[in-house]
Amino acid sequence: MLLLALDTATPAVTVALHDGSAVVAASSQVDARRHGELLLPSVDRVLADAGLRLDAVTGIVVGVGPGPYTGLRVGLMTADTFGLALGVPVHGVCTLDGLAHASGIEEGPFVVATDARRKEVYWARYADPRTRLTEPAVDRPAEIAEDVAGLPAVGAGALLYPDTFPDARGPEHVSAAALASLAAERLAKGEELLEPRPLYLRRPDAQVPKNYKVVTPK
Protein backbone atom coordinates (compact mmCIF):
# COMPACT_ATOMS: atom_id res chain seq x y z
CA MET A 1 0.00 0.00 0.00
CA LEU A 2 1.15 3.51 -0.79
CA LEU A 3 -1.45 6.19 -0.19
CA LEU A 4 -1.11 9.75 -1.46
CA ALA A 5 -3.22 11.98 0.80
CA LEU A 6 -4.12 15.62 0.27
CA ASP A 7 -6.49 18.21 1.69
CA THR A 8 -7.39 21.78 0.72
CA ALA A 9 -10.56 22.22 2.80
CA THR A 10 -8.87 24.59 5.27
CA PRO A 11 -6.22 27.31 4.76
CA ALA A 12 -3.61 24.52 4.87
CA VAL A 13 -2.36 22.95 1.64
CA THR A 14 -1.30 19.58 2.96
CA VAL A 15 0.07 16.42 1.31
CA ALA A 16 1.43 13.13 2.69
CA LEU A 17 2.50 9.64 1.68
CA HIS A 18 1.61 6.62 3.83
CA ASP A 19 2.94 3.09 3.19
CA GLY A 20 0.27 1.30 5.22
CA SER A 21 2.37 1.31 8.35
CA ALA A 22 3.55 4.89 8.76
CA VAL A 23 3.80 8.29 7.10
CA VAL A 24 6.92 8.33 4.92
CA ALA A 25 6.82 11.98 3.83
CA ALA A 26 4.60 15.01 4.42
CA SER A 27 4.26 18.70 3.63
CA SER A 28 1.92 21.42 4.92
CA GLN A 29 1.73 25.11 4.04
CA VAL A 30 -0.88 27.59 5.28
CA ASP A 31 -2.07 29.98 2.58
CA ALA A 32 -5.81 30.25 2.02
CA ARG A 33 -5.43 32.05 -1.32
CA ARG A 34 -2.94 29.76 -3.09
CA HIS A 35 -4.36 26.23 -2.93
CA GLY A 36 -4.19 25.76 -6.68
CA GLU A 37 -0.70 27.20 -6.91
CA LEU A 38 0.82 25.22 -4.04
CA LEU A 39 -0.78 21.78 -4.24
CA LEU A 40 1.04 20.16 -7.17
CA PRO A 41 4.50 21.42 -6.12
CA SER A 42 3.75 19.99 -2.67
CA VAL A 43 2.97 16.60 -4.22
CA ASP A 44 6.24 16.73 -6.17
CA ARG A 45 8.17 17.64 -3.02
CA VAL A 46 6.67 14.84 -0.95
CA LEU A 47 7.40 12.25 -3.64
CA ALA A 48 10.96 13.52 -3.96
CA ASP A 49 11.48 13.40 -0.19
CA ALA A 50 10.30 9.78 -0.18
CA GLY A 51 12.41 8.89 -3.22
CA LEU A 52 9.35 7.62 -5.06
CA ARG A 53 7.52 8.22 -8.34
CA LEU A 54 3.86 9.03 -8.68
CA ASP A 55 3.20 5.71 -10.43
CA ALA A 56 4.15 3.89 -7.19
CA VAL A 57 0.96 5.19 -5.54
CA THR A 58 -1.77 2.56 -5.03
CA GLY A 59 -4.53 4.81 -3.73
CA ILE A 60 -5.51 8.47 -3.24
CA VAL A 61 -6.97 9.88 -0.02
CA VAL A 62 -8.63 13.30 -0.13
CA GLY A 63 -10.28 15.47 2.48
CA VAL A 64 -13.89 16.08 1.43
CA GLY A 65 -14.52 18.95 3.83
CA PRO A 66 -16.62 20.58 4.94
CA GLY A 67 -14.86 23.62 3.60
CA PRO A 68 -15.20 26.70 1.40
CA TYR A 69 -16.11 25.95 -2.21
CA THR A 70 -13.07 27.46 -3.92
CA GLY A 71 -10.39 25.77 -1.84
CA LEU A 72 -12.13 22.44 -1.42
CA ARG A 73 -12.64 21.80 -5.13
CA VAL A 74 -8.89 22.17 -5.81
CA GLY A 75 -8.05 19.10 -3.74
CA LEU A 76 -10.98 17.04 -4.96
CA MET A 77 -10.38 17.72 -8.64
CA THR A 78 -6.68 16.96 -8.23
CA ALA A 79 -7.46 13.70 -6.42
CA ASP A 80 -9.93 12.65 -9.14
CA THR A 81 -7.38 13.46 -11.84
CA PHE A 82 -4.65 11.42 -10.15
CA GLY A 83 -7.04 8.53 -9.65
CA LEU A 84 -8.04 8.49 -13.33
CA ALA A 85 -4.47 8.90 -14.58
CA LEU A 86 -3.06 6.15 -12.35
CA GLY A 87 -6.07 3.84 -12.42
CA VAL A 88 -6.21 3.70 -8.60
CA PRO A 89 -9.10 4.20 -6.14
CA VAL A 90 -9.82 7.60 -4.65
CA HIS A 91 -11.00 7.55 -1.02
CA GLY A 92 -12.74 10.43 0.74
CA VAL A 93 -12.27 11.29 4.42
CA CYS A 94 -14.13 13.97 6.33
CA THR A 95 -11.66 16.79 7.06
CA LEU A 96 -13.06 17.14 10.58
CA ASP A 97 -12.31 13.45 11.18
CA GLY A 98 -8.67 14.09 10.29
CA LEU A 99 -8.46 16.86 12.88
CA ALA A 100 -10.10 14.63 15.48
CA HIS A 101 -7.59 11.87 14.72
CA ALA A 102 -4.70 14.30 15.29
CA SER A 103 -6.22 15.94 18.35
CA GLY A 104 -4.25 14.06 20.97
CA ILE A 105 -7.45 13.73 23.00
CA GLU A 106 -7.68 10.12 24.12
CA GLU A 107 -11.25 10.15 25.43
CA GLY A 108 -14.27 12.27 24.59
CA PRO A 109 -16.59 13.75 24.13
CA PHE A 110 -15.04 16.68 22.34
CA VAL A 111 -15.72 18.99 19.39
CA VAL A 112 -13.86 19.79 16.19
CA ALA A 113 -14.54 23.22 14.67
CA THR A 114 -12.96 24.83 11.59
CA ASP A 115 -13.40 28.36 10.28
CA ALA A 116 -16.34 28.59 7.86
CA ARG A 117 -15.99 32.37 7.44
CA ARG A 118 -19.11 34.59 7.60
CA LYS A 119 -18.72 34.37 11.41
CA GLU A 120 -19.61 30.66 11.27
CA VAL A 121 -17.87 27.36 11.98
CA TYR A 122 -17.97 23.90 10.46
CA TRP A 123 -18.22 21.52 13.38
CA ALA A 124 -19.02 18.04 14.66
CA ARG A 125 -19.00 16.25 18.01
CA TYR A 126 -16.82 13.18 18.71
CA ALA A 127 -16.91 10.34 21.23
CA ASP A 128 -13.18 9.70 20.68
CA PRO A 129 -10.57 10.46 17.98
CA ARG A 130 -12.04 7.80 15.67
CA THR A 131 -15.78 8.07 16.35
CA ARG A 132 -17.89 10.98 15.14
CA LEU A 133 -21.25 11.34 16.90
CA THR A 134 -22.91 13.99 14.69
CA GLU A 135 -23.01 14.89 11.03
CA PRO A 136 -20.86 17.87 10.04
CA ALA A 137 -22.78 21.13 10.28
CA VAL A 138 -22.26 24.86 9.75
CA ASP A 139 -23.52 27.29 12.38
CA ARG A 140 -22.79 30.54 14.17
CA PRO A 141 -20.88 29.80 17.38
CA ALA A 142 -23.49 31.45 19.60
CA GLU A 143 -26.18 29.15 18.17
CA ILE A 144 -24.37 25.99 19.30
CA ALA A 145 -23.03 27.25 22.63
CA GLU A 146 -25.32 24.97 24.64
CA ASP A 147 -24.47 21.93 22.49
CA VAL A 148 -20.71 22.32 23.03
CA ALA A 149 -20.69 23.73 26.57
CA GLY A 150 -17.95 22.22 28.74
CA LEU A 151 -16.34 20.26 25.91
CA PRO A 152 -12.73 20.53 24.70
CA ALA A 153 -12.62 21.84 21.14
CA VAL A 154 -10.02 21.38 18.41
CA GLY A 155 -9.37 23.50 15.34
CA ALA A 156 -9.06 27.06 14.06
CA GLY A 157 -12.81 27.63 14.36
CA ALA A 158 -12.69 26.90 18.07
CA LEU A 159 -9.67 29.13 18.59
CA LEU A 160 -11.46 32.04 16.87
CA TYR A 161 -14.43 32.01 19.27
CA PRO A 162 -13.22 31.57 22.87
CA ASP A 163 -16.58 32.65 24.32
CA THR A 164 -18.20 29.55 22.82
CA PHE A 165 -15.12 27.30 23.01
CA PRO A 166 -13.22 28.28 26.19
CA ASP A 167 -11.23 25.00 26.12
CA ALA A 168 -9.94 25.42 22.55
CA ARG A 169 -6.72 23.81 21.42
CA GLY A 170 -4.69 22.83 18.35
CA PRO A 171 -4.02 21.61 15.84
CA GLU A 172 -5.57 24.54 13.97
CA HIS A 173 -5.73 22.87 10.55
CA VAL A 174 -5.92 19.32 9.28
CA SER A 175 -2.79 17.52 8.14
CA ALA A 176 -2.69 15.06 5.26
CA ALA A 177 -0.55 12.85 7.50
CA ALA A 178 -3.49 12.46 9.88
CA LEU A 179 -5.91 11.84 7.01
CA ALA A 180 -3.61 9.19 5.55
CA SER A 181 -3.11 7.46 8.89
CA LEU A 182 -6.84 7.36 9.55
CA ALA A 183 -7.60 6.10 6.04
CA ALA A 184 -4.91 3.39 6.25
CA GLU A 185 -6.30 2.24 9.58
CA ARG A 186 -9.86 2.02 8.25
CA LEU A 187 -8.83 0.29 5.03
CA ALA A 188 -6.83 -2.29 7.00
CA LYS A 189 -10.03 -3.10 8.92
CA GLY A 190 -11.97 -3.51 5.69
CA GLU A 191 -14.07 -0.43 6.32
CA GLU A 192 -15.54 1.57 3.45
CA LEU A 193 -14.44 5.17 3.13
CA LEU A 194 -16.45 8.09 1.77
CA GLU A 195 -16.93 8.84 -1.89
CA PRO A 196 -14.62 11.69 -2.99
CA ARG A 197 -17.46 14.20 -3.14
CA PRO A 198 -17.45 17.63 -1.48
CA LEU A 199 -19.22 18.49 1.75
CA TYR A 200 -20.02 22.14 1.04
CA LEU A 201 -22.96 22.46 3.50
CA ARG A 202 -23.96 25.77 1.92
CA ARG A 203 -24.04 27.56 -1.43
CA PRO A 204 -20.81 29.00 -2.89
CA ASP A 205 -19.99 32.69 -2.39
CA ALA A 206 -19.91 33.32 -6.15
CA GLN A 207 -23.48 33.54 -7.48
CA VAL A 208 -25.29 34.99 -10.47
CA PRO A 209 -26.39 38.57 -9.66
CA LYS A 210 -30.07 38.82 -8.71
CA ASN A 211 -30.71 41.55 -11.29
CA TYR A 212 -28.93 39.70 -14.06
CA LYS A 213 -30.43 40.73 -17.39
CA VAL A 214 -30.81 38.10 -20.10
CA VAL A 215 -30.31 39.51 -23.57
CA THR A 216 -31.68 37.46 -26.46
CA PRO A 217 -31.74 38.37 -30.14
CA LYS A 218 -35.04 39.55 -31.56
Side-chain angles (χ1 to χ4, degrees):
M1 177 188 293
L2 184 66
L3 299 176
L4 172 64
L6 50 95
D7 191 291
T8 57
T10 74
V13 179
T14 179
V15 179
L17 282 171
H18 196 290
D19 66 3
S21 299
V23 173
V24 295
S27 170
S28 291
Q29 300 175 78
V30 177
D31 192 328
R33 298 180 181 275
R34 300 174 65 207
H35 289 101
E37 182 179 343
L38 296 175
L39 183 57
L40 290 180
S42 296
V43 172
D44 287 342
R45 183 166 53 254
V46 166
L47 288 167
D49 289 347
L52 296 167
R53 292 166 50 92
L54 183 60
D55 58 12
V57 170
T58 62
I60 310 295
V61 176
V62 61
V64 300
Y69 177 84
T70 304
L72 184 54
R73 66 179 179 175
V74 171
L76 285 160
M77 289 301 296
T78 301
D80 279 343
T81 301
F82 281 151
L84 286 171
L86 298 171
V88 299
V90 181
H91 307 288
V93 177
C94 175
T95 298
L96 301 180
D97 290 358
L99 267 166
H101 189 68
S103 67
I105 300 175
E106 296 183 3
E107 296 182 0
F110 65 94
V111 175
V112 172
T114 60
D115 182 16
R117 305 173 187 172
R118 304 184 193 175
K119 298 182 179 180
E120 295 177 328
V121 294
Y122 297 117
W123 71 285
R125 183 169 173 156
Y126 290 78
D128 58 58
R130 294 169 176 79
T131 308
R132 177 159 37 86
L133 296 173
T134 62
E135 291 299 314
V138 57
D139 291 290
R140 289 184 177 271
E143 296 172 347
I144 60 172
E146 291 186 6
D147 296 321
V148 303
L151 298 180
V154 174
L159 293 166
L160 281 171
Y161 301 100
D163 288 345
T164 299
F165 305 101
D167 187 6
R169 58 188 74 178
E172 287 190 55
H173 308 302
V174 72
S175 72
L179 283 179
S181 296
L182 181 59
E185 181 180 298
R186 289 176 173 173
L187 289 170
K189 294 179 179 177
E191 297 178 12
E192 290 190 11
L193 301 185
L194 300 176
E195 291 292 319
R197 299 294 175 261
L199 291 174
Y200 291 132
L201 300 189
R202 67 184 182 202
R203 297 178 64 83
D205 292 332
Q207 298 182 25
V208 176
K210 292 182 180 180
N211 296 324
Y212 179 75
K213 184 179 181 180
V214 178
V215 179
T216 56
K218 294 182 180 180

